[in-house]
Amino acid sequence: MTETQIRNHGTRTEKERAESTADETVRVCPECDGRLATDTEHGETVCSDCGLVVEENEIDRGPEWRAFDSADRDSKSRVGAPTTKMMHDKGLSTNIGWQNKDGYGKSLSSRQRQQMQRLRTWNERFRTRNSKERNLKQALGEIDRMASALGLPENVRETASVIYRRALGENLLPGRSIEGVGTASLYAAARQAGNPRSLDEFTAVSRVEKMELTRTYRYIIRELKLEVQPADPESYVPRFVSRLELSDEVERRARDLLKSAKRSGITSGKSPVGLAASAVYAAALLTNQKVTQSQVSAVADISEVTIRNRYKELLEASDELAA
């Protein structure tokens, strides 16, 4: 080894030693040799033992936005939509849009449209790999369709999807239709979320008969051991009042009538839909607002005879408690 090579070798050794020393000083506190911690909120490197600020005004490599809860964080994230139980593949697959346009908004040529249609077809085939996934895809589509027709919120749809997945996982579908189990899952989810709809309303938007729906519903809640409380008549009142375009005073009086009926014990064994409709009709009479029994009957989908019988019982129960 020549003299020049020896000199260069010594220079490199000193340089490597200086770099390793610098790295070591960054990892430990220069005052007490304590462990350093990075405070990303304030952009500082602080000693966890003595509190010495070693570095400040560091570069923030995180996002430029702030989030104060999980929903806000998910909405601002740029890494794609969160997973959801409302899709058979939990939303992780790729969807090809139906618009025959490119990224610049220009229409595709005839040959390109044919190619995109073939890609959509194969994409749909690849998304469902077996009969179980095809079953789940069809059922979740039915649940979403019925929930949209009934105006049910997203949390009810998510719960219904989870209930159906459990039923499919525990092999409860043989001998029953996909539409029947899907409707029963949505009905149970709506009641669990405190946003119930009547059986007649579900039958109107479903592809199964009322008898099959009730039979499947009882089977699902029994096998899955779901805890579903009896429907509260008060949960139907806001919807009926809104459809009849009545005032808030009617809603308040209807709730008071139902609470009086509960204390009197006359609600046991009676339809919650009938009680709610009768309370709305009685409250409208008490507040001098014009509404007919036929109008309430059409909104609640019950007979006028039920309204006549129930509203008298509600008024009597309220008078007894007042006395």
Side-chain angles (χ1 to χ4, degrees), residues 267-315:
T267 59
S268 178
K270 295 182 174 63
S271 169
V273 179
L275 288 170
S278 303
V280 171
Y281 177 70
L285 293 180
L286 293 174
T287 55
N288 297 322
Q289 298 192 34
K290 293 183 179 180
V291 64
T292 62
Q293 292 180 3
S294 60
Q295 290 175 322
V296 180
S297 173
V299 166
D301 198 14
I302 59 172
S303 66
E304 297 181 25
V305 177
T306 302
I307 296 176
R308 282 195 291 272
N309 294 335
R310 296 289 176 268
Y311 97 88
K312 294 176 182 177
E313 296 175 357
L314 293 174
L315 291 176

Side-chain angles (χ1 to χ4, degrees), residues 146-147 149-152 156 183-184 186-192 194-206 208-211 213-214 217 230-233 235-237 239-240 243 270-277 296-303:
M146 291 185 292
L150 293 170
L152 293 172
V156 176
T183 308
L186 186 61
Y187 180 66
R191 292 188 61 174
Q192 281 187 332
N195 200 344
R197 298 290 188 273
S198 65
L199 285 171
D200 294 327
E201 290 179 283
F202 270 93
T203 306
V205 300
S206 177
V208 297
E209 299 295 331
K210 184 176 181 179
M211 186 64 69
L213 170 58
T214 55
Y217 168 71
D232 188 359
S235 60
Y236 294 94
V237 170
R239 191 155 47 91
F240 293 164
R243 289 184 178 180
K270 295 182 174 63
S271 169
V273 179
L275 288 170
V296 180
S297 173
V299 166
D301 198 14
I302 59 172
S303 66

Side-chain angles (χ1 to χ4, degrees), residues 8 19 21 25 41 49 60 86 96 106 122 136 150 154 156 167-168 186 215 224 257 278 282-283 289 301 310 312:
N8 292 338
E19 289 177 356
T21 305
T25 56
E41 183 177 355
D49 295 335
D60 184 7
M86 293 186 291
I96 301 177
K106 298 180 181 179
W122 280 105
L136 191 58
L150 293 170
E154 186 175 344
V156 176
L168 184 63
L186 186 61
R215 189 188 307 117
L224 296 181
L257 290 173
S278 303
Q289 298 192 34
D301 198 14
R310 296 289 176 268
K312 294 176 182 177

Side-chain angles (χ1 to χ4, degrees), residues 90-313:
K90 299 183 180 180
L92 297 176
S93 62
T94 301
N95 291 322
I96 301 177
W98 55 270
Q99 300 95 339
N100 289 318
K101 295 182 179 181
D102 60 11
Y104 299 98
K106 298 180 181 179
S107 298
L108 301 179
S109 64
S110 177
R111 182 178 179 182
Q112 289 174 326
R113 285 199 298 270
Q114 293 177 0
Q115 183 180 7
M116 293 305 299
Q117 188 57 41
R118 287 197 299 271
L119 289 174
R120 291 190 191 99
T121 301
W122 280 105
N123 183 55
E124 287 298 316
R125 291 175 181 173
F126 286 134
R127 287 182 66 187
T128 52
R129 294 170 295 181
N130 49 46
S131 60
K132 189 174 181 180
E133 288 191 359
R134 287 192 294 270
N135 179 316
L136 191 58
K137 181 181 178 182
Q138 180 182 348
L140 296 182
E142 279 293 297
I143 289 174
D144 188 63
R145 180 188 65 81
M146 291 185 292
S148 298
L150 293 170
L152 293 172
E154 186 175 344
N155 66 314
V156 176
R157 307 182 192 195
E158 191 92 25
T159 305
S161 303
V162 173
I163 293 174
Y164 188 89
R165 286 175 183 273
R166 286 187 57 194
L168 184 63
E170 297 188 19
N171 202 27
L172 301 182
L173 266 70
R176 291 166 182 82
S177 66
I178 295 175
E179 292 82 2
V181 179
T183 308
S185 301
L186 186 61
Y187 180 66
R191 292 188 61 174
Q192 281 187 332
N195 200 344
R197 298 290 188 273
S198 65
L199 285 171
D200 294 327
E201 290 179 283
F202 270 93
T203 306
V205 300
S206 177
R207 295 189 172 96
V208 297
E209 299 295 331
K210 184 176 181 179
M211 186 64 69
E212 181 182 352
L213 170 58
T214 55
R215 189 188 307 117
T216 307
Y217 168 71
R218 288 194 294 266
Y219 174 74
I220 290 296
I221 62 173
R222 184 179 66 250
E223 294 297 323
L224 296 181
K225 296 180 175 59
L226 299 177
E227 295 183 0
V228 181
Q229 298 294 330
D232 188 359
E234 291 187 39
S235 60
Y236 294 94
V237 170
R239 191 155 47 91
F240 293 164
V241 170
S242 176
R243 289 184 178 180
L244 292 168
E245 298 181 353
L246 298 173
S247 64
D248 294 339
E249 186 181 1
V250 174
E251 181 178 344
R252 182 178 58 80
R253 293 296 293 272
R255 291 180 182 274
D256 292 339
L257 290 173
L258 290 173
K259 290 176 181 177
S260 301
K262 287 180 183 178
R263 289 195 293 268
S264 300
I266 66 172
T267 59
S268 178
K270 295 182 174 63
S271 169
V273 179
L275 288 170
S278 303
V280 171
Y281 177 70
L285 293 180
L286 293 174
T287 55
N288 297 322
Q289 298 192 34
K290 293 183 179 180
V291 64
T292 62
Q293 292 180 3
S294 60
Q295 290 175 322
V296 180
S297 173
V299 166
D301 198 14
I302 59 172
S303 66
E304 297 181 25
V305 177
T306 302
I307 296 176
R308 282 195 291 272
N309 294 335
R310 296 289 176 268
Y311 97 88
K312 294 176 182 177
E313 296 175 357

